[in-house]
Amino acid sequence: MSETPTSRPTPRRFAASGPLRGTIRVPGDKSISHRSLMLGALAVGRTTIRGLLEGEDVLATAAAMRAMGAVIERDDEGLWSVHGVGVGGLLQPRQALDMGNSGTSTRLLMGVIASHGITASFIGDASLSGRPMGRVIEPLSQMGADITASRPEIGGGTLPLMIRGCLPAVPITYRLPVASAQVKSAILLAGLNTPGITTVIEPVPTRDHSERMLRGFGADLTVEEADGVRTSRIRGEAELTAQDIEVPGDPSSAAFFIVAALIVPGSDLIIENVGLNPTRAGIVTVLRAMGGSIEELNPREVGGEPVADLRVRHSALKGIEVDPALAPSMIDEFPVLFVAASMANGRTTTSGLEELRVKESDRLTAMATALEAIGARVTETEDGLLIDGTRGEQLAGGGPITTQLDHRIAMSMAIAGLVSRDGVEVDDTRPIATSFPTFEIMLSERAS
């Protein structure tokens, strides 16, 4: 899955083509899909998964769990089955685990391996190999894992890296220095096979899929919140039980179509089965505050996660100051929010977004550069962007836009192309397959 010398960019120009109408269903939630495969592989028995996101990132997780002994199969109807090996039962992989572009797979699997008596090497594509891993390496090293990373001067180390798990690992109490669901999840997953109680303290609570799913699989995990601080404790040497899982639609994927329907005149779109976990739904909160018409239809609960169908209609958006406290609940959606802000009436101010600089790309600089190139008025700050909107007037368009192998930059700028005079050329659409392989087809079908 790592990029090879024979890989060739696939550019495409996205242009205005009419309102978005009808009904769509976006792929399954990527965060839940990753965790379903990992926890299914660590459980005893057969876990079934419906609605799994079949993007490259999630398939990298499936391949890694197979390499460590789990039997993972997909039938012709799209139902996935995972026959687990049990906590503590992972096997030594025979070759390096290729994570492609998936930072989530890498960091969470480092946590899984940290408390098992096996050794594994991680490799990835050019983008993933530039992302710092130090914030995961630090707590896992405290638990006893021996981790050797490349380029330790870059944020504590990058891929390729090797991790030697510690058996038994040492339970720790760890206070997150920055809000990160991936770091929290890595520690909790390491705690599954660690004697005693492993504790994670979050000064700023992050998405809670790991906690919900760990409890669902039978882990002894408690969560307490006081004065805005969340403390999670997991008791080790766990026994997980196989589950039947239905994965809700990914709100991060839905966000592109929500924004498109809000900013393209005449749009009236229903997006079915969208996960609305409150630790993930910040984008809906912010877009509603900007004046966006987003109606929840048929609200329900699926597998412990709140879900609804969303009806989204074209709206006259207004600029706002986005509360930085909402950042953890929409960190991946800021690139497309920036597109919405570029079409609003007035200035949108964002701050507290340092985390965006260490994603697949530096998303603050990448989006500021991309939006300016197509006629938006953007000011980049140390921790955010200030965007003065066009009051609904079309952007000029242009390109090619440098996406830096970042799927969310590519999709965000594709949405910008729908409200541009000359269209927006994206330099490479290949990364889109990492999280939303049907994005281009769905966009072509609904924007007509």
Side-chain angles (χ1 to χ4, degrees), residues 20-67:
L20 284 78
R21 299 182 183 276
T23 301
I24 64 171
R25 181 175 288 234
V26 298
D29 185 285
K30 187 165 72 163
S31 296
I32 295 174
S33 293
H34 282 305
R35 289 159 173 81
S36 297
L37 290 168
M38 292 181 193
L39 294 177
L42 292 170
V44 175
R46 175 177 177 262
T47 291
T48 62
I49 310 170
R50 297 183 184 275
L52 186 87
L53 170 62
E54 297 182 3
E56 291 177 358
D57 281 8
V58 174
L59 296 181
T61 294
M65 300 318 297
R66 285 192 188 104

Side-chain angles (χ1 to χ4, degrees), residues 11-211:
R12 178 173 174 181
R13 180 171 290 273
F14 296 86
S17 55
L20 284 78
R21 299 182 183 276
T23 301
I24 64 171
R25 181 175 288 234
V26 298
D29 185 285
K30 187 165 72 163
S31 296
I32 295 174
S33 293
H34 282 305
R35 289 159 173 81
S36 297
L37 290 168
M38 292 181 193
L39 294 177
L42 292 170
V44 175
R46 175 177 177 262
T47 291
T48 62
I49 310 170
R50 297 183 184 275
L52 186 87
L53 170 62
E54 297 182 3
E56 291 177 358
D57 281 8
V58 174
L59 296 181
T61 294
M65 300 318 297
R66 285 192 188 104
M68 292 186 286
V71 177
I72 302 177
E73 301 169 323
R74 179 192 188 277
D75 70 16
D76 293 339
E77 303 299 320
L79 177 68
W80 287 73
S81 298
V82 183
H83 298 270
V85 298
V87 172
L90 294 179
L91 303 179
Q92 176 89 26
R94 296 182 178 180
Q95 58 189 22
L97 303 177
D98 188 344
M99 296 292 98
N101 188 244
S102 182
T104 300
S105 302
T106 303
R107 294 186 174 108
L108 269 59
L109 285 175
M110 287 172 64
V112 169
I113 293 168
S115 58
H116 283 72
I118 61 176
T119 298
S121 297
F122 288 85
I123 60 173
D125 68 9
S127 173
L128 181 59
S129 297
R131 298 177 66 180
M133 296 292 158
R135 61 178 59 172
V136 180
I137 291 172
E138 179 183 352
L140 297 183
S141 297
Q142 291 182 23
M143 297 181 76
D146 181 7
I147 304 172
T148 303
S150 303
R151 299 181 294 174
E153 73 279 3
I154 299 179
T158 65
L159 270 57
L161 65 76
M162 177 178 289
I163 177 169
R164 298 174 180 84
C166 179
L167 188 66
V170 179
I172 62 171
T173 296
Y174 191 78
R175 186 180 182 90
L176 296 182
V178 295
S180 173
Q182 292 180 358
V183 177
K184 171 184 66 178
S185 298
I187 299 168
L188 293 176
L189 289 169
L192 278 174
N193 200 40
T194 300
I197 296 176
T198 297
T199 303
V200 182
I201 301 170
E202 294 182 277
V204 179
T206 63
R207 62 182 62 176
D208 65 353
H209 299 304
S210 291
E211 295 95 311

Side-chain angles (χ1 to χ4, degrees), residues 175-375:
R175 186 180 182 90
L176 296 182
V178 295
S180 173
Q182 292 180 358
V183 177
K184 171 184 66 178
S185 298
I187 299 168
L188 293 176
L189 289 169
L192 278 174
N193 200 40
T194 300
I197 296 176
T198 297
T199 303
V200 182
I201 301 170
E202 294 182 277
V204 179
T206 63
R207 62 182 62 176
D208 65 353
H209 299 304
S210 291
E211 295 95 311
R212 289 172 183 253
M213 296 187 71
L214 281 163
R215 282 196 295 257
F217 273 85
D220 182 354
L221 183 144
T222 61
V223 179
E224 299 175 358
E225 292 199 37
D227 300 324
V229 176
R230 181 190 294 161
T231 302
S232 301
R233 297 180 178 89
I234 189 166
R235 185 178 296 277
E237 300 179 305
E239 294 184 7
L240 303 185
T241 303
Q243 301 293 310
D244 295 322
I245 298 171
E246 183 173 346
V247 181
D250 194 321
S252 297
S253 296
F256 298 102
F257 284 90
I258 294 172
V259 169
L262 290 175
I263 64 178
V264 175
S267 295
D268 189 345
L269 185 68
I270 292 177
I271 310 172
E272 294 182 327
N273 197 48
V274 179
L276 294 176
N277 183 308
T279 65
R280 291 285 302 283
I283 184 67
V284 173
T285 300
V286 170
L287 289 171
R288 282 176 172 157
M290 295 175 72
S293 175
I294 306 172
E295 181 182 0
E296 293 181 24
L297 309 176
N298 188 24
R300 54 202 184 274
E301 189 169 284
V302 175
E305 295 277 346
V307 170
D309 305 328
L310 301 181
R311 184 182 183 186
V312 188
R313 286 172 279 191
H314 172 248
S315 305
L317 301 180
K318 62 183 179 182
I320 65 170
E321 182 173 349
V322 179
D323 184 353
L326 288 171
S329 67
M330 57 177 292
I331 196 67
D332 289 327
E333 290 74 73
F334 274 100
V336 77
L337 176 70
F338 296 149
V339 174
S342 72
M343 297 295 295
N345 178 11
R347 169 170 284 192
T348 297
T349 302
T350 61
S351 59
L353 305 182
E354 299 92 338
E355 176 73 10
L356 291 185
R357 296 201 183 277
V358 292
K359 290 288 187 177
E360 283 84 338
S361 67
D362 179 340
R363 287 180 175 164
L364 291 178
T365 296
M367 284 302 298
T369 302
L371 288 171
E372 287 178 338
I374 64 170

